[in-house]
Amino acid sequence: MARTDIIVLGAGIVGTSIATHLVKRGMSVALVDRQGAGEGTSYGNAGIIEGNTIFPAAFPADWATLARIVLKRSPLANYHLSHLPRITPWLVAFRAASQPARLIETAQLMRPLFARAVAEHESLAAEAEATRYLGRNGWLKLYRTQEALDGLAPELELAERFGIANVALDRDEALALEPALAPVFRCAVHWTGAVSVSDPLALTRAYATRFAALGGLMLNGDARTLHRASPHWRVETVAGPLDAGDVVVALGPWTPDVLRRLGLRLPLAVKRGYHRHFRPQGNAALNRPVLDAANGYVLAPMARGTRLTTGVEFAARDASPTPVQLDRVLPAARELFALGEPVEKEAWLGARPCFADSRPVISRAPQQRGLWLAFGHAHWGLTLGPATGRLIAEMMTGATPFCDPKPYSAERFL
Ligand SMILES: Cc1cc2nc3c(=O)[nH]c(=O)nc-3n(C[C@H](O)[C@H](O)[C@H](O)COP(=O)(O)OP(=O)(O)OC[C@H]3O[C@@H](n4cnc5c(N)ncnc54)[C@H](O)[C@@H]3O)c2cc1C
């Protein structure tokens, strides 16, 4: 029987960052995943470390947008009709959390994590000799109408209050930054402090390599085998059973698979999303990720090509892929930027693990000694992985947490 101080379940960006922070604090740590580090949701994102995030994604505030989604005409969201009965309570809570006052509250509660996001990546990437994957050109959000830009006023006011750098640009100024874009938009905001990742898989792998170099143990195993073997927790791995006094569950969208078995039900939903890479046409190139706000897609320059990521899809996590949103946004994306041939035959599908209040759970599990939770990072798991790693490692080792962890407690659902 092998023993370790702490088992971290899930080697996505969140679990890998946690494991690295723990091992740096002198704990013996095993990081367990059924596949390689970073091959789950953390593989397929838009690669933006969005320390600039203020308001979370919100339920549509106007009926026209909602009607287009319901009629399946919107690129912003898609849904499986059969999934609606299951997701309705979550959507009702999401709508309540999307009221203007609640959005401001969320922005304030999440600020300490976002404010720390870039610095934590910078230091982990430096240690892991992975800074070559980080781009420091910010990210550019494009708006096709003046009304869309006017609607940003509350966000820009908060940005000023929080001290988050951004530059409002007219079309020509934006085109000076990104000459390969077509002038099909009206204006833009350049969030200059955001960092982009050219290869999210390689970045998580580099953090995992750093974890191993510090003495951490990486193992393949099925997290669903987690059970109490008093007084410890036990997980079955390819190397045999592994015991530890503490376990961190950081399985992203798969976390409920384990928690349900322990009698713990937290209201997590998934917002699925797709990506596909495209080869460049001629010399066309982007210098930073670009969001087309009206269409909800991002074009991100990456190692494998230009990665086009979609908005959200409400469907069961394991339901078959229905990448209709890629079809919906492709004409607009091609109009904006000269995308060449697709690199892969099929689109990649991932599932953002989301709570309706857009806050992750980073806390002890209720009523389960030695069980810790770190999941539900929604649209910002890449961004928040290393900051989450620091926070939970500080909590677990009795250090003073860098911010008040209460807003991220699982207790808020009980
Ligand atoms: C299209 C899209 C675009 C996105 N863009 C961005 C972005 O630009 N910026 C940003 O910050 N975030 C973005 N996100 C969100 C971000 O990717 C996620 O929040 C993040 O990857 C979640 O990380 P995680 O470590 O919690 O989960 P994961 O990366 O999914 O890791 C969970 C791990 O658990 C493992 N696992 C599952 N079940 C088991 C089991 N039974 N046994 C053992 N192991 C198991 C999996 O193999 C996986 O490695 C995007 C997401 C999508 C879908």
Side-chain angles (χ1 to χ4, degrees):
M1 176 73 51
R3 277 271 299 278
T4 183
D5 293 334
I6 301 171
I7 298 170
V8 179
L9 296 175
I13 186 66
V14 174
T16 303
S17 301
I18 292 169
T20 309
H21 269 286
L22 285 167
V23 85
K24 279 168 63 170
R25 284 164 179 75
M27 313 304 290
S28 72
V29 184
L31 178 57
V32 177
D33 202 295
R34 62 183 172 193
Q35 51 184 356
E39 293 176 10
T41 325
S42 300
Y43 162 70
N45 50 60
I48 310 165
I49 300 173
E50 307 172 39
N52 59 283
T53 298
I54 298 174
F55 291 136
F59 195 90
D62 64 289
W63 288 105
T65 306
L66 187 59
R68 285 190 72 207
I69 293 172
V70 171
L71 296 170
K72 293 188 172 259
R73 299 238 174 90
S74 172
L76 302 178
N78 188 40
Y79 63 94
H80 290 186
L81 197 56
S82 57
H83 189 56
L84 283 188
R86 230 180 124 195
I87 188 101
T88 296
W90 189 96
L91 286 173
V92 169
F94 183 52
R95 185 160 183 265
S98 300
Q99 301 309 310
R102 292 277 309 275
L103 290 177
I104 292 173
E105 185 195 20
T106 304
Q108 285 164 338
L109 294 174
M110 288 296 291
R111 186 76 316 249
L113 283 184
F114 282 118
R116 197 73 187 218
V118 170
E120 291 297 336
H121 264 289
E122 298 265 15
S123 74
L124 216 49
E127 281 179 37
E129 297 181 9
T131 51
R132 64 187 177 284
Y133 300 120
L134 304 184
R136 292 176 180 78
N137 288 336
W139 75 308
L140 196 61
K141 298 191 182 183
L142 306 180
Y143 299 92
R144 290 181 182 243
T145 62
Q146 186 59 41
E147 297 79 66
L149 186 70
D150 294 345
L152 284 188
E155 187 175 3
L156 295 179
E157 266 169 39
L158 267 189
E160 197 174 336
R161 186 141 48 97
F162 292 154
I164 303 171
N166 65 87
V167 186
L169 304 172
D170 64 23
R171 184 166 50 207
D172 290 342
E173 289 166 330
L175 290 173
L177 285 181
E178 293 293 351
L181 294 179
V184 294
F185 57 94
R186 191 179 170 107
C187 47
V189 176
H190 182 200
W191 296 90
T192 50
V195 169
S196 55
V197 178
S198 60
D199 190 337
L201 174 62
L203 188 73
T204 306
R205 278 185 177 159
Y207 292 175
T209 303
R210 173 69 181 152
F211 163 72
L214 289 166
L217 184 63
M218 296 208 54
L219 285 171
N220 281 123
D222 187 345
R224 289 170 300 183
T225 60
L226 179 70
H227 62 282
R228 271 237 176 256
S230 262
H232 296 112
W233 289 99
R234 180 169 299 164
V235 170
E236 304 299 329
T237 75
V238 289
L242 179 66
D243 280 13
D246 289 275
V247 175
V248 186
V249 187
L251 294 161
W254 292 279
T255 303
D257 296 1
V258 167
L259 297 192
R260 258 198 310 269
R261 286 159 194 261
L262 302 173
L264 195 56
R265 285 180 187 270
L266 298 177
L268 188 83
V270 296
K271 293 184 194 169
R272 306 203 313 175
Y274 299 85
H275 86 224
R276 207 163 176 192
H277 293 100
F278 293 84
R279 297 197 173 83
Q281 251 187 50
N283 292 329
L286 292 172
N287 299 312
R288 56 184 62 71
V290 172
L291 168 80
D292 179 352
N295 293 296
Y297 67 85
V298 172
L299 292 173
M302 292 230 179
R304 286 175 62 81
T306 304
R307 183 178 283 189
L308 169 60
T309 63
T310 68
V312 304
E313 182 177 68
F314 293 101
R317 184 191 66 197
D318 300 330
S320 300
T322 47
V324 291
Q325 281 161 294
L326 275 176
D327 300 334
R328 285 183 206 157
V329 299
L330 257 177
R334 287 195 187 282
E335 178 193 48
L336 178 67
F337 178 71
L339 292 171
E341 288 304 304
V343 173
E344 305 94 353
K345 280 210 181 78
E346 307 281 345
W348 172 88
L349 166 63
R352 305 169 181 94
C354 302
F355 289 105
D357 63 6
S358 295
R359 283 184 255 149
V361 164
I362 307 169
S363 76
R364 283 179 186 279
Q367 291 141 20
Q368 300 270 2
R369 199 165 37 84
L371 188 67
W372 298 79
L373 308 173
F375 71 111
H377 290 74
H379 297 252
W380 311 279
L382 173 69
T383 301
L384 297 177
T388 298
R390 171 178 290 281
L391 182 60
I392 204 159
E394 288 170 347
M395 291 160 75
M396 292 180 76
T397 55
T400 306
F402 76 83
C403 69
D404 177 7
K406 199 155 170 261
Y408 324 123
S409 169
E411 301 278 348
R412 71 186 192 269
F413 297 113
L414 301 183

